Amino acid sequence: MVRLGQEQHPSTHFGRILIRGAYHEGTNTDILIEGNRISRIAPRIELEDEPAEVIEAQGMAVIPGLINTHTHAAMTLHRGYGDDLPLMTWLEDYIWPVEAKMTELDVYVGARLACLEMIKSGTTCFLDMYMHPKQTARAAEEMGLRAMISYTLFDQGNAERAALDRQRSAEYLEYFSTLSDRISFNLGPHAIYTVSGEQLQFCHEFAQKHGVKIHLHLSETQGEVEECLRLHGTTPVRYLERLGILGPNLILAHVVWVDDEEMDLLAKYDVAVVHNPASNMKLASGYAFKYEEMKQRGIRLGLGTDGCSSSNNLDMFHAMRLASLLGKVWRFDSTAVSAADIFASSTSIGADILSIEAGRIAEGALADLCLIDLNRPEMTPLTNLTSNLVYSASGSCVDTTIVDGRILMRGGHVPGEEEILAQAREVARRIIPQE
Ligand SMILES: [Zn+2]
């Protein structure tokens, strides 16, 4: 039996943290964090009274914490199970039977493993969609991460389930309002092939009324577009426009299969789009994600890993590298999807999509940031930091992770990580059939 909730995550809120001599924009600088914000950035900060914590950051670069705008945290437990299979075999014969066995506590254990992996690889905020969202929220709350958590609506044409989903949306909204400011709530209608048009319109009205976002998988595969044409006589983005639900609070994951006019619509309504290169490649959903075409239209483009059964890790450094390389090769254009663009997708643009004041090293911004160890082969020489981060680094280059002014990791070690791994192994032994 897994013992849960007996230890709170032992990270500490220092109130005032001084980062000394970190590499930032080509020079070494001091950064003062007061409460949960960056309060000062200057070459040298002298304080009359010493802060509670001083981090000597010479030999480290400070970067904004990375923002994973599409994942399913607890699917870390499915890592390495059902690889290299056709999409529907993978889902129907592998993932869904395992999910049917998962308890609420299993989701908590899986989400804790995800939070640990994210903290260790420099992700400070994530947008999640999975069952038992309270458990993912609890894991993020305890581990100290910032998270926007979607309630997954998934009715598959069943009117009873649809009604239950509507009722639960309101209950969860209420519940999430009792959590810390780091944890926010939104609606996650799973996809247009599992949620009715009427229910999508409910989501839109609910989101408008309560000022929350909508998180939806869209145009992930060619098959999805064909089915949409068959059922609704039009393509997915046009279908959403017809339903009247396109708008700036809509966040679409994947969007691999769209035409020019659909991208014009996404731009017109200021819809955000999240690219998930690892998942799209591993599931062979498609490779021609139109990053440049969407960027030119002014569409806000975020970056995600998707869940660990199709990714198979939550390392945003891997995701950045894949997105950039993939975006170049399919269009035979080495200037496409630059390191600077994809780094912005993973930081400032991701923050904008989630409406949080993070993703930047700036006075007044939320203190969500990482220190990168520069004394590593893959970070040497430091000719171009962004290039090294996108094309060379991995999450293991992260030394320190700070979220909301709390230090969650120092020296590459998260307090309590051994216990989190042990619990995840124990749950996986029970729910994953041994081959
Ligand atoms: Zn997904």
Side-chain angles (χ1 to χ4, degrees), residues 136-142 144-149 176-177 179-185:
T136 307
R138 179 181 162 204
E141 184 93 295
E142 289 175 6
L145 280 174
R146 194 177 302 285
M148 180 176 280
I149 295 176
F176 273 72
S177 70
L179 303 181
S180 79
D181 291 347
R182 277 187 291 107
I183 312 293
S184 57
F185 175 74

Side-chain angles (χ1 to χ4, degrees), residues 14 17-19 22 33 53-66 118-124 317 361 367-374 376 395-403 405-415:
F14 286 103
I17 301 167
L18 181 59
I19 299 172
I33 296 169
E53 185 74 10
V54 177
I55 299 176
E56 295 296 342
Q58 293 81 10
M60 293 195 241
V62 61
I63 65 164
L66 302 173
M118 288 190 266
I119 293 167
K120 286 180 79 86
S121 56
T123 292
T124 52
F317 289 88
I361 300 299
D368 293 7
L369 50 90
C370 302
L371 296 174
I372 305 293
D373 184 358
L374 298 175
R376 295 177 60 105
S396 59
C397 295
V398 180
D399 177 273
T400 299
T401 301
I402 296 175
V403 178
R406 289 169 77 198
I407 301 171
L408 305 187
M409 177 174 80
R410 279 191 80 171
H413 185 262
V414 178

Side-chain angles (χ1 to χ4, degrees), residues 281-334:
M281 285 194 272
K282 185 164 183 248
L283 297 176
S285 307
Y287 53 85
F289 180 80
K290 295 171 179 167
Y291 189 99
E292 289 295 326
E293 292 77 0
M294 292 196 218
K295 181 191 149 200
Q296 279 157 18
R297 286 169 167 82
I299 295 170
R300 292 167 296 149
L301 292 165
L303 186 67
T305 56
D306 213 344
C308 273
S309 55
S310 61
S311 171
N312 286 5
N313 64 35
L314 302 176
D315 188 334
M316 285 289 286
F317 289 88
H318 287 209
M320 289 195 288
R321 184 166 195 256
L322 288 175
S324 184
L325 301 186
L326 178 63
K328 296 174 193 305
V329 71
W330 74 259
R331 48 162 57 84
F332 296 99
D333 178 2
S334 57

Side-chain angles (χ1 to χ4, degrees), residues 70-72 129 217 220 253-254 276 279 306-307 310:
H70 181 66
T71 190
H72 311 279
M129 182 196 288
H217 293 100
E220 180 174 359
H254 299 302
N276 296 272
S279 174
D306 213 344
S310 61

